[in-house]
Amino acid sequence: MVDAAADMSPKTITIIDDGGVYDISNKEEFKDLLEALETKYLENVETKRRVVGFASLVDGGSYTAAPVAESHLVLNPRSFGGSQDGSVSGESSTTGTTRRNDKGTPIASILWPSSSSRGGRSTSGENSRNAAADLVRKLKKKQPDIVNRHINKGNECVVQNKYEEAMKAYQKALKAQLEASGSEQLTAVIKSNMGLVLKEQGKYEESLKAYEDTLSIRREVLGDRHEDVASTYDNMGGVLEAQGKLDEAYQMYSDALSIQLKALGNNHPKVADTVVHMANVLDDQGEYEEAAKVYRKALDIRLDNFGSRHPDVGDTYFNLAIAYEKQGRNEEAMRAYRNALSIQSEALGKGHPDVAETYGNMGNCLTNQSRFEEAEKMYRKALDIQRGAPGDRGPAIANMYSKLGNALAKQRKDEEAMKMYQSAHSIQLKAYGKESPDLADTCNGMGTVLYLQQKYEEAMEMHQTALTIREKVYGNLHADVATSLSNMGLVLEGQGEKDKAMRSYEKALSIRIEVLGKLHPKTANSYFNMGLVLDGQGKYEEAIKMYENALEIRLEVLGNRHPEVSTTYSNMAAVLEDLGNFDDAIKMYHDVLSIRLETLGSRHPKIANTYFNLGSVLDRQGKQLEALTMYEDALSIRQEVYGDRHPKVADTLNNMAIANEDLGNYEKAVEMHLEVISIREEALGKNHPDVTRSYTNFAQVLESQEKLDEAAKMYRKALEIQVEKYGKEHPDVAATKRSIEVLLETQKKIWMP
């Protein structure tokens, strides 16, 4: 096995077998040694991302030297495809932003036969060539041993995401290694590789145990301050981070960094890697500004070591973009993504999976800005690249299907969105089984689409499935468990189960405070959602308190000009409106408008929302003409963003119809209500609750025109849908029945249920 420091220019190589260990302390001497070997065994290979050195044909296998998270220069299967990463999922979406976070690469082993003595090599090229000739003679006589063959087989399986097969191969390697009483260092290598596979399988406790065994061996053999010990701490940090144990993960990364700074210096590439991992944790903790600062430190180190066009530099721009994006600094984020994309396309090729990931994250950034059509294009580019990339790209393709599903859902292309999620679900189920975190993320996304379609029972089933998986994989105290509980709260609220929704939000809040802390954006989300429930229950004073809690966190973490701060102000203004404090509500809505114009631009959908809300307050003040001006501004943006047949366009036309009705413009109101019904039936289906509301609104206009028979027909259409949708005991059913009774009394008739 070749085992050395993971510098791009390796300084020390150790050649190990059960016959002895040899060190070569000079890079040029190592090259001389390799060049002396017959071309039958060695060939030059193109230097690629994280790849240095030469390929070796031993026992019919092709291998490439590559530095990995283990702090080793090792022989890896030549099909090695670059770093792997995870994704972060949001409150109501399966697809968060992919962050470039090296999962580590399995350490490969090839037996290099040698004499039983150990000693330093001469620096002379002639001595190196003599040693090489001796190695070649022995290599011809002796085949690689069973341990190495199993390790290399496991590595090949890892590259192909065949984790069960990889684990079986590593277990065979470990058994053979223990039976042979082989090198403790090689045992540590096998244990470390097993830890990597177990992490990818979501078996975090077993992964930690494997890494703890690795750490124990390395500390005993190498001492507490060896860089391989640091690498093991780093790997353990990755597992703890995946478990959501962020403070413990950060401590592990800090321990790794402390060793690396002393062993390697403060400008070493491995130091940059660990600094990136620490920034990732800060990002997870909602410390976005601090995360950006730490990413920039890593960027400086990588620029100094590799220059401006290296893939690792591209990765750092990629992660920096995410930190900017989460601060609402979308333009800076897109610039950083474009830098990453330029470097990756040049260094790795336009068809490389990392290029696809960057397109995917650019799609996320555009989605956050409600630029859904542009986002969809980015996701489709990414999907095309993933489909054409070599190797088993199933999980990566599934991830992109999920992201595309999210973008389609945001555009209310619900059927297309569900098809994307179902495609992702099918791939993930086959690749990972029924208890995969990725599968839970996809179920979460499907639940969100079903929620938007108001298919609440199906939505609840999906969110419950996601919750069950997450609790089994992560335990009860994990941020993703809180996300599932929060989304279940949304569904319960939609079903009218406000008390149950509140309990679900309270559970989510409790987990988030414990896991993420009181000053985290997702903790603010929980307070915000609880405010929505209380608002819906008419408990306005309590709702304001919840919104104030959310606002305090968002101002502290995100700053006073962030879009989420404006959203909090907007909901507080809505409560003031409900309390009849119209002037205060209008003032607050203007504050919202100021922030959104500054951060989102004048044609953003949230600007339209603010105009719409201002129109609503003015309408309630009896200022219908001013209200119509606001509604018209909202309508212009919504038609531009969504097209003429979108539900939000229907919402705007609905309010404009009511304002016209109040002004006595009945013909205009009737025309608009008919258009609203047409759009909603087309976009949402004829049995959607919003369609029933359109029928009742239209009925009220007809009633005002004394067209009582036509009004009664509209009410009955609404009632028929409501009874089918909610059952006979629902409050909406009772309200519609009462409207019909009043109408019939006006006609001197008696309502017969």
Side-chain angles (χ1 to χ4, degrees):
M1 154 179 181
V2 179
D3 190 359
D7 192 336
M8 297 304 288
S9 301
K11 295 179 176 61
T12 305
I13 308 297
T14 306
I15 300 174
I16 306 172
D17 75 338
D18 46 303
V21 179
Y22 295 84
D23 291 334
I24 303 172
S25 302
N26 182 283
K27 178 183 175 184
E28 293 303 317
E29 183 177 348
F30 177 52
K31 289 175 66 177
D32 289 343
L33 173 64
L34 293 174
E35 288 167 1
L37 294 173
E38 297 176 358
T39 56
K40 175 180 178 181
Y41 294 100
L42 289 171
E43 61 179 357
N44 289 324
V45 294
E46 178 185 0
T47 300
K48 294 186 177 179
R49 178 172 182 236
R50 301 184 183 281
V51 175
V52 176
F54 303 85
S56 174
L57 295 175
V58 180
D59 197 26
S62 180
Y63 301 88
T64 302
V68 295
E70 275 284 332
S71 294
H72 290 286
L73 179 69
V74 299
L75 295 181
N76 278 341
R78 201 160 169 199
S79 56
F80 171 64
S83 64
Q84 302 292 316
D85 46 78
S87 62
V88 181
S89 62
E91 287 281 303
S92 59
S93 167
T94 182
T95 55
T97 299
T98 298
R99 185 170 63 210
R100 193 62 43 72
N101 185 16
D102 299 342
K103 77 176 182 183
T105 308
I107 296 182
S109 173
I110 291 190
L111 185 66
W112 291 75
S114 59
S115 65
S116 59
S117 62
R118 175 178 178 178
R121 297 284 186 176
S122 165
T123 58
S124 72
E126 184 174 351
N127 285 347
S128 295
R129 281 186 282 276
N130 290 337
D134 183 59
L135 283 174
V136 170
R137 285 193 297 272
K138 293 186 178 182
L139 192 62
K140 291 178 179 178
K141 294 178 180 178
K142 185 175 182 181
Q143 295 295 318
D145 70 4
I146 190 67
V147 174
N148 293 283
R149 285 202 298 271
H150 286 316
I151 292 175
N152 291 329
K153 173 63 176 176
N155 298 345
E156 291 169 7
C157 291
V158 168
V159 171
Q160 297 168 29
N161 297 317
K162 296 178 179 178
Y163 297 121
E164 291 293 339
E165 294 178 45
M167 181 56 69
K168 288 177 183 177
Y170 291 142
Q171 287 168 341
K172 288 178 181 178
L174 183 62
K175 181 180 179 182
Q177 171 71 1
L178 294 175
E179 287 175 352
S181 301
S183 163
E184 284 291 298
Q185 292 186 53
L186 188 55
T187 301
V189 165
I190 300 168
K191 288 276 190 178
S192 183
N193 287 0
M194 293 171 75
L196 184 155
V197 171
L198 290 163
K199 176 178 178 286
E200 292 304 308
Q201 290 178 308
K203 299 176 180 178
Y204 299 126
E205 292 302 325
E206 294 175 63
S207 176
L208 274 177
K209 178 64 170 63
Y211 282 133
E212 286 166 357
D213 291 345
T214 304
L215 181 66
S216 176
I217 294 169
R218 287 178 170 168
R219 291 178 68 180
E220 183 176 341
V221 173
L222 303 171
D224 290 342
R225 309 301 291 175
H226 193 277
E227 62 183 284
D228 287 358
V229 172
S231 293
T232 311
Y233 282 131
D234 189 82
N235 287 336
M236 293 171 74
V239 179
L240 291 163
E241 185 180 354
Q243 288 181 297
K245 298 177 180 179
L246 302 180
D247 290 337
E248 294 176 58
Y250 195 86
Q251 185 59 54
M252 284 292 176
Y253 292 141
S254 297
D255 291 344
L257 184 64
S258 172
I259 296 169
Q260 289 168 337
L261 288 171
K262 188 169 183 180
L264 304 172
N266 60 9
N267 203 44
H268 193 278
K270 288 300 299 178
V271 170
D273 293 344
T274 305
V275 167
V276 165
H277 297 161
M278 296 172 77
N280 292 345
V281 174
L282 291 168
D283 181 82
D284 288 337
Q285 291 176 320
E287 300 284 349
Y288 304 133
E289 188 172 350
E290 187 63 28
K293 290 178 184 177
V294 178
Y295 283 133
R296 284 194 290 268
K297 288 180 183 177
L299 181 63
D300 289 341
I301 297 171
R302 287 174 169 175
L303 284 168
D304 194 41
N305 278 274
F306 305 138
S308 63
R309 307 305 293 173
H310 191 277
D312 282 5
V313 173
D315 286 353
T316 317
Y317 278 123
F318 181 98
N319 287 345
L320 185 57
I322 296 167
Y324 286 148
E325 185 182 342
K326 290 181 177 178
Q327 294 175 72
R329 297 158 65 179
N330 292 314
E331 291 303 318
E332 292 173 82
M334 288 301 288
R335 280 197 295 273
Y337 281 134
R338 283 191 285 268
N339 284 339
L341 187 66
S342 172
I343 294 168
Q344 291 163 345
S345 297
E346 178 184 312
L348 307 173
K350 293 182 178 180
H352 194 278
D354 283 3
V355 173
E357 288 165 8
T358 303
Y359 276 126
N361 274 25
M362 291 172 78
N364 295 343
C365 191
L366 292 164
T367 296
N368 292 339
Q369 298 172 68
S370 299
R371 294 159 65 180
F372 303 125
E373 290 186 6
E374 295 174 70
E376 183 182 341
K377 289 177 183 176
M378 290 292 176
Y379 292 139
R380 292 193 186 278
K381 280 185 181 180
L383 189 58
D384 287 343
I385 293 170
Q386 295 286 20
R387 284 169 171 163
D392 180 7
R393 302 301 302 166
I397 290 170
N399 181 42
M400 210 51 63
Y401 276 135
S402 290
K403 291 185 175 184
L404 183 53
N406 182 49
L408 292 165
K410 296 287 187 181
Q411 297 174 75
R412 293 310 306 271
K413 297 178 180 178
D414 296 337
E415 296 305 319
E416 292 179 70
M418 282 301 289
K419 286 179 182 177
M420 293 298 109
Y421 283 129
Q422 286 163 355
S423 296
H425 188 276
S426 176
I427 293 170
Q428 291 163 342
L429 195 61
K430 184 177 180 181
Y432 301 126
K434 294 181 179 180
E435 295 176 1
S436 159
D438 286 349
L439 190 68
D441 292 345
T442 300
C443 290
N444 184 74
M446 294 168 77
T448 298
V449 174
L450 292 164
Y451 165 77
L452 292 172
Q453 293 177 310
Q454 298 192 5
K455 296 179 179 178
Y456 296 128
E457 289 186 8
E458 295 172 65
M460 182 60 76
E461 184 179 344
M462 282 297 165
H463 286 310
Q464 183 63 61
T465 299
L467 177 65
T468 300
I469 295 170
R470 287 167 170 172
E471 286 182 332
K472 186 157 189 179
V473 171
Y474 301 127
N476 294 332
L477 287 176
H478 191 277
D480 285 357
V481 171
T483 295
S484 290
L485 289 167
S486 183
N487 288 342
M488 291 168 74
L490 286 173
V491 176
L492 289 164
E493 192 176 352
Q495 290 176 308
E497 299 279 1
K498 295 188 183 297
D499 290 336
K500 290 182 181 179
M502 196 67 175
R503 287 195 291 273
S504 194
Y505 288 141
E506 286 169 348
K507 287 180 184 177
L509 176 65
S510 175
I511 293 170
R512 285 170 170 170
I513 289 174
E514 183 163 348
V515 174
L516 303 174
K518 292 182 179 180
L519 288 177
H520 192 281
K522 288 194 173 182
T523 304
N525 292 351
S526 290
Y527 283 123
F528 184 88
N529 288 342
M530 292 164 73
L532 286 172
V533 175
L534 293 164
D535 190 358
Q537 291 177 314
K539 300 177 181 178
Y540 300 127
E541 297 296 337
E542 294 176 60
I544 283 285
K545 288 179 183 177
M546 289 298 168
Y547 289 141
E548 286 173 346
N549 289 339
L551 181 64
E552 182 181 357
I553 295 168
R554 287 171 172 174
L555 287 170
E556 176 76 19
V557 175
L558 305 173
N560 62 4
R561 308 303 286 177
H562 193 279
E564 288 190 19
V565 169
S566 72
T567 299
T568 317
Y569 281 135
S570 185
N571 278 35
M572 293 172 76
V575 175
L576 291 170
E577 181 184 351
D578 289 333
L579 288 168
N581 299 335
F582 298 133
D583 290 336
D584 290 340
I586 286 175
K587 182 180 181 301
M588 192 165 281
Y589 278 134
H590 279 294
D591 290 341
V592 172
L593 187 62
S594 171
I595 296 171
R596 288 178 171 174
L597 285 169
E598 179 183 321
T599 58
L600 303 174
S602 62
R603 307 303 290 174
H604 192 278
K606 288 190 175 180
I607 300 296
N609 295 349
T610 311
Y611 285 135
F612 183 91
N613 291 337
L614 279 164
S616 174
V617 182
L618 291 164
D619 202 349
R620 293 180 70 175
Q621 286 183 303
K623 300 176 181 179
Q624 276 76 33
L625 289 175
E626 293 177 61
L628 280 170
T629 300
M630 291 294 155
Y631 290 143
E632 285 164 0
D633 289 341
L635 181 65
S636 171
I637 296 170
R638 286 175 169 177
Q639 286 176 327
E640 180 182 313
V641 172
Y642 301 119
D644 293 337
R645 309 295 293 173
H646 192 276
K648 285 193 176 291
V649 170
D651 294 343
T652 317
L653 289 169
N654 180 75
N655 279 26
M656 293 175 75
I658 293 169
N660 275 292
E661 180 187 350
D662 291 339
L663 289 168
N665 298 330
Y666 297 124
E667 294 303 321
K668 187 70 173 175
V670 166
E671 180 185 333
M672 287 184 170
H673 278 308
L674 287 171
E675 182 67 7
V676 171
I677 291 171
S678 172
I679 294 171
R680 285 177 170 171
E681 285 184 339
E682 179 184 315
L684 304 174
K686 292 186 177 181
N687 291 332
H688 194 278
D690 284 358
V691 174
T692 68
R693 281 189 277 275
S694 293
Y695 283 137
T696 56
N697 289 341
F698 188 27
Q700 289 166 10
V701 179
L702 293 168
E703 208 173 341
S704 298
Q705 293 179 294
E706 297 185 353
K707 297 179 180 179
L708 302 184
D709 288 337
E710 293 176 58
K713 287 179 183 177
M714 291 298 109
Y715 280 132
R716 287 190 176 107
K717 280 189 175 183
L719 183 62
E720 184 180 343
I721 297 170
Q722 289 169 338
V723 169
E724 182 181 342
K725 193 80 177 175
Y726 304 127
K728 294 181 179 180
E729 304 304 318
H730 194 275
D732 287 357
V733 171
T736 306
K737 282 185 177 182
R738 179 59 186 156
S739 295
I740 295 173
E741 288 173 359
V742 170
L743 180 64
L744 291 175
E745 286 171 6
T746 303
Q747 293 178 303
K748 306 297 184 182
K749 296 179 180 178
I750 299 175
W751 164 243
M752 297 296 293

